[in-house]
Amino acid sequence: MAPRLCSISAAARRLLGGPGPGAGKVAAVVAARFYSKDNEGSWFRSLFVHKVDPRKDAHSTLLSKKETSNLYKIQFHNVKPECLDAYNSLTEAVLPKLHLDEDYPCSLVGNWNTWYGEQDQAVHLWRFSGGYPALMDCMNKLKNNKEYLEFRKERSQMLLSRRNQLLLEFSFWNEPQPRTGPNIYELRTYKLKPGTMIEWGNNWARAIKYRQENQEAVGGFFSQIGELYVVHHLWAYKDLQSREETRNAAWRKRGWDENVYYTVPLVRHMESRIMIPLKISPLQ
């Protein structure tokens, strides 16, 4: 039996083939409205609005750790449901070799399967000691690593999709360190409104102290390449009941409610994943 191929309907091909019959009209209407006489005055005045003084440094410089030059990469792999066990086995056989090889300036921080959230998903967090030069060094060496190239080829047969981001760590968060288990991990992802990262960091620099008593804070990161203005907070708990009790305890501390009050308006979208560590994960 011949393999089934993806097909695209005629309607879909028409949508993909061009802007559609109504797009030109929409563009014309928008242009007409923008340049109409009613708006001419406001358009002209917009040329003379006051200028906002630019920051002296990028938020990556202001918010990231100064004493380290670590760069992080987070990977999200959506796996075919029937392939998840085989994917985990393949990953556990190959990735520790890179982690242990001193010739590669990269190390595993954590490896998980999503338990609640997106199903049949693997999440990997890497640290590159030395920043972007270390990342490029690894990438160039992996191009000539036959075992890794074979691993990627085999892995590609198991995936539905994958994406990644390059991250920096917030200066006021803990640096992720290996943990003994068993633990569950929560990855809370916040997509912020552009231009609000400094405000987010200022609030969380004060608020993180309310979430340290049970050693639940693992790491906090913000995106540099990939989808921008994205924040990831990584937490560890013994179980879901411990998570609930720890989070409820934070609300009883004076000042935590203020952090929530000031940061919620900065968020466009937020997501929570509960994750289970793989056998090879340094965070257990």
Side-chain angles (χ1 to χ4, degrees), residues 38 44 49 73 79 81 87 97 137 149 154 170 249:
D38 291 339
F44 184 78
V49 296
K73 179 172 73 172
V79 185
Y87 170 93
K97 296 179 182 179
D137 186 25
L149 294 176
E154 185 71 22
F170 284 110

Side-chain angles (χ1 to χ4, degrees), residues 147-208:
E147 182 180 14
Y148 183 77
L149 294 176
E150 186 61 33
F151 159 73
R152 282 175 57 94
K153 182 179 179 181
E154 185 71 22
R155 186 188 66 183
S156 69
Q157 307 298 317
M158 305 176 182
L159 298 182
L160 293 170
S161 64
R162 60 192 178 101
R163 61 186 175 88
N164 58 25
Q165 293 173 334
L166 293 181
L167 315 170
L168 295 177
E169 55 187 330
F170 284 110
S171 60
F172 47 85
W173 270 77
N174 312 328
E175 184 170 340
Q177 299 295 334
R179 293 188 179 213
T180 57
N183 294 296
I184 62 171
Y185 290 81
E186 181 176 19
L187 183 67
R188 294 179 71 87
T189 299
Y190 304 88
K191 298 180 180 180
L192 306 185
K193 298 174 183 177
T196 62
M197 188 65 74
I198 296 293
E199 188 176 354
W200 177 275
N202 287 338
N203 280 285
W204 267 97
R206 295 188 294 269
I208 190 62

Side-chain angles (χ1 to χ4, degrees), residues 91-248:
T91 296
E92 290 168 349
V94 176
L95 295 191
K97 296 179 182 179
L98 297 178
H99 176 73
L100 296 173
D101 192 335
E102 295 183 357
D103 196 38
Y104 290 86
C106 62
S107 57
L108 291 173
V109 177
N111 311 80
W112 304 269
N113 284 149
T114 301
W115 184 21
Y116 287 102
E118 290 192 58
Q119 297 293 283
D120 304 308
Q121 185 182 72
V123 180
H124 305 286
L125 183 61
W126 293 86
R127 180 190 292 117
F128 295 87
S129 301
Y132 291 109
L135 174 70
M136 296 304 297
D137 186 25
C138 280
M139 185 185 73
N140 291 329
K141 289 175 179 176
L142 289 174
K143 289 178 181 179
N144 299 310
N145 186 323
K146 293 182 179 180
E147 182 180 14
Y148 183 77
L149 294 176
E150 186 61 33
F151 159 73
R152 282 175 57 94
K153 182 179 179 181
E154 185 71 22
R155 186 188 66 183
S156 69
Q157 307 298 317
M158 305 176 182
L159 298 182
L160 293 170
S161 64
R162 60 192 178 101
R163 61 186 175 88
N164 58 25
Q165 293 173 334
L166 293 181
L167 315 170
L168 295 177
E169 55 187 330
F170 284 110
S171 60
F172 47 85
W173 270 77
N174 312 328
E175 184 170 340
Q177 299 295 334
R179 293 188 179 213
T180 57
N183 294 296
I184 62 171
Y185 290 81
E186 181 176 19
L187 183 67
R188 294 179 71 87
T189 299
Y190 304 88
K191 298 180 180 180
L192 306 185
K193 298 174 183 177
T196 62
M197 188 65 74
I198 296 293
E199 188 176 354
W200 177 275
N202 287 338
N203 280 285
W204 267 97
R206 295 188 294 269
I208 190 62
K209 63 184 178 182
Y210 302 116
R211 299 296 308 274
Q212 296 280 18
E213 288 184 4
N214 295 326
Q215 304 298 312
E216 69 266 28
V218 178
F221 313 91
F222 58 99
S223 62
Q224 282 292 284
I225 296 180
E227 188 173 6
L228 298 177
Y229 286 96
V230 176
V231 170
H232 298 289
H233 290 175
L234 184 61
W235 308 92
Y237 305 100
K238 292 301 179 185
D239 50 39
L240 289 174
Q241 182 62 35
S242 172
R243 171 186 177 273
E244 181 179 17
E245 293 170 356
T246 300
R247 289 176 56 80
N248 287 341

Side-chain angles (χ1 to χ4, degrees), residues 13-26:
R13 282 197 296 271
R14 286 196 296 271
L15 286 173
L16 294 172
K25 289 185 178 180
V26 172

